[in-house]
Amino acid sequence: FHAVASAKQKLVKAGFKEIKEREAWASICEPGGKYYLTRNASTILAFAIGKKWKPGNPVAMIGAHTDSPSLRVKPVSKKQSDGFIQIGVETYGGGLWHTWFDRDLSIAGRAMVKTAEGTYVQRLVKVDRPILRIPTLAIHLDRQETFTFNKETQLFPIAGLVAAELNRQRERGSKSDETMVDEESETTPFKPLKVLTERHHPYIIELIAEEAEVNPSDVIDFEMILYDTQNSCIGGLNEELIFSARLDNLEMSYCSTMGLINSLKSSSSLDDESSIRLISLFDHEEIGSQTAQGADSNLLPAIIRRLSVLPSASSSDSDKSYEKVEFEPDLATTYEQTLSSSFLISADMAHSVNPNYSAKYEPDHRPEMNKGTVIKINANARYATNSPGIVLLQEVASRQSVPLQLFVVRNDSSCGSTIGPMLSAAMGIRTLDLGNPQLSMHSIRETGGVYDVEYAIKLFESFFEHFSELESKICVD
């Protein structure tokens, strides 16, 4: 939610206008225009239409994802044991969960709140101080060779001491949890679910309400994840490294957004453009993408279908509308024409060689940080890259002097995947997988290269600026 809000701010500042999926776009989207939309506030899609656009022309696309492995607060999170207040959490995605122990944690996400007008709206929440911690067991009590734990019983964070919370309530003149629940049950009308203060610790609800700027009683529900309160920073002896949470895949989401924005800096950037430049930052990649806001949904195909029949500038200036042009015979296959000539870059972080585990990498394919964006290849189609795509990307990269690297996994190693193969298969669109190299993928704290961020932004900017020129020069079908 916060990643989408951040991308939205940058797009609005760059002159993009918000549109809604539920609206008709006939009188909204015009050649030369810049637009964005969101779905579930956790997926965002933005595009700019070339002034020489015609129905059936290509779309230059970059797809990334906004989510990362995390711990999510359970619907009923209220726990306490041995004098400690605890919070029930649920694992999201395939995280390196041992890295979450002994970190200064807090909560962030969205709350659905009731307004004075009786409507229900979303409010972003980020408690900006450490309130949670998952404690390890002292080595004196368990000298295990490898650190193992039960994710259901030993991954619950502590939020404080029961005695301290009782003292806080007494000092404030607050009622105990049990009293609050009993009184709410007596004074409030029937509710299908237990009240929030019965499902969660009341102080957690108070903190969420404070961040949402509403009364605790107006918080109806929420989706909160845990996050590490340690800020991202530049590290390394020569300040060449990034130490941060969620580089996978917020780095590629950021680079995609900035690449699109930078390609439109000039007021004349769309004058000779015959394509549409588009980015789509999806949610739920880490859990398979099969949700309404995931890459395996109808979102991108539906948007491309609507864009493929947009009238050209000459049509827009006349009295033509969607109602008139959509029945023209020449437009019957514009969606398929657009798909066959478009190109998708699937941008998801890649693996840098780890010097402590170099044997895990294929000897001739060991990407290094700060040496350029990595093209990801897999013979079993875990990545969607093929030779025509590599040719295109080399041409794009050469125009900005961006170095590229190649990566394949060892034959005796498993291989991850991305949104690339699923979107390529669903739409029949030419696709290439790439990403910046990083260490400690899916850890609570990851490591990337400072210069690779600039490389990726320049690469994506060049892709958008030169795709229309290059697309027709790569002849296969």
Side-chain angles (χ1 to χ4, degrees), residues 78-362:
K78 190 175 184 179
K79 294 180 179 296
Q80 68 179 55
S81 178
D82 297 312
F84 285 96
I85 295 173
Q86 291 185 281
I87 305 295
V89 295
E90 185 179 12
T91 57
Y92 173 89
L96 294 176
W97 304 121
H98 65 274
T99 64
W100 286 71
F101 282 77
D102 296 330
R103 303 294 299 185
D104 300 337
L105 306 174
S106 192
I107 57 174
R110 72 171 171 188
M112 295 301 297
V113 303
K114 188 175 183 178
T115 66
E117 293 76 28
T119 59
Y120 298 91
V121 298
Q122 168 188 292
R123 296 282 172 83
L124 292 184
V125 170
K126 182 186 177 188
V127 178
D128 220 354
R129 65 181 178 91
I131 59 174
L132 304 172
R133 195 173 182 89
I134 305 172
T136 51
L137 184 63
I139 191 171
H140 314 82
L141 302 179
D142 188 5
R143 296 183 183 274
Q144 54 182 334
E145 288 293 325
T146 57
F147 180 42
T148 59
F149 56 92
N150 185 294
K151 289 187 290 187
E152 177 56 32
T153 61
Q154 296 170 328
L155 198 59
F156 291 147
I158 57 173
L161 299 172
V162 173
E165 174 60 8
L166 291 175
N167 288 336
R168 183 190 74 90
Q169 292 176 0
R170 279 195 291 268
E171 290 172 2
R172 294 183 54 194
S174 303
K175 299 179 176 69
S176 67
D177 293 1
E178 292 77 10
T179 303
M180 290 174 63
V181 171
D182 290 342
E183 290 190 358
E184 285 184 358
S185 300
E186 294 174 1
T187 59
T188 59
F190 169 76
K191 294 185 177 181
L193 290 174
K194 292 181 180 179
V195 294
L196 281 184
T197 50
E198 190 174 352
R199 293 158 50 196
H200 308 279
H201 292 290
Y203 199 9
I204 295 293
I205 306 301
E206 291 178 28
L207 289 174
I208 291 172
E210 182 181 344
E211 291 294 322
E213 299 181 336
V214 296
N215 294 320
S217 59
D218 291 327
V219 178
I220 308 303
D221 200 42
F222 59 79
E223 296 168 66
M224 296 291 149
I225 64 168
L226 276 58
Y227 77 95
D228 187 355
T229 58
Q230 183 178 358
N231 290 330
S232 302
C233 65
I234 302 299
L237 290 174
N238 296 290
E239 298 189 325
E240 70 271 43
L241 302 177
I242 303 171
F243 302 147
S244 175
R246 298 178 298 281
L247 289 178
D248 176 26
N249 191 43
L250 292 186
E251 181 173 322
M252 287 291 92
S253 294
Y254 172 79
C255 292
S256 303
T257 304
M258 296 310 300
L260 176 62
I261 291 173
N262 289 354
S263 77
L264 302 168
K265 277 186 175 180
S266 170
S267 59
S268 60
S269 58
L270 294 174
D271 288 355
D272 294 319
E273 178 62 81
S274 59
S275 301
I276 291 176
R277 304 175 184 180
L278 180 149
I279 61 170
S280 189
L281 313 181
F282 296 99
D283 195 5
H284 291 157
E285 188 274 345
E286 298 292 356
I287 57 171
S289 297
Q290 291 185 325
T291 63
Q293 52 271 16
D296 205 16
S297 70
N298 75 329
L299 177 62
L300 190 56
I303 298 303
I304 299 301
R305 184 179 293 277
R306 297 176 74 170
L307 294 180
S308 69
V309 296
L310 285 178
S312 62
S314 57
S315 299
S316 300
D317 293 337
S318 70
D319 64 350
K320 287 189 175 182
S321 66
Y322 273 129
E323 288 73 17
K324 294 182 180 180
V325 302
E326 67 182 356
F327 296 108
E328 294 182 8
D330 289 346
L331 294 179
T333 60
T334 52
Y335 176 59
E336 290 77 11
Q337 289 176 264
T338 292
L339 291 180
S340 65
S341 57
S342 299
F343 195 91
L344 168 69
I345 291 178
S346 169
D348 203 347
M349 293 295 280
H351 299 292
S352 166
V353 63
N354 187 322
N356 294 333
Y357 301 90
S358 58
K360 292 288 187 180
Y361 298 80
E362 206 280 334

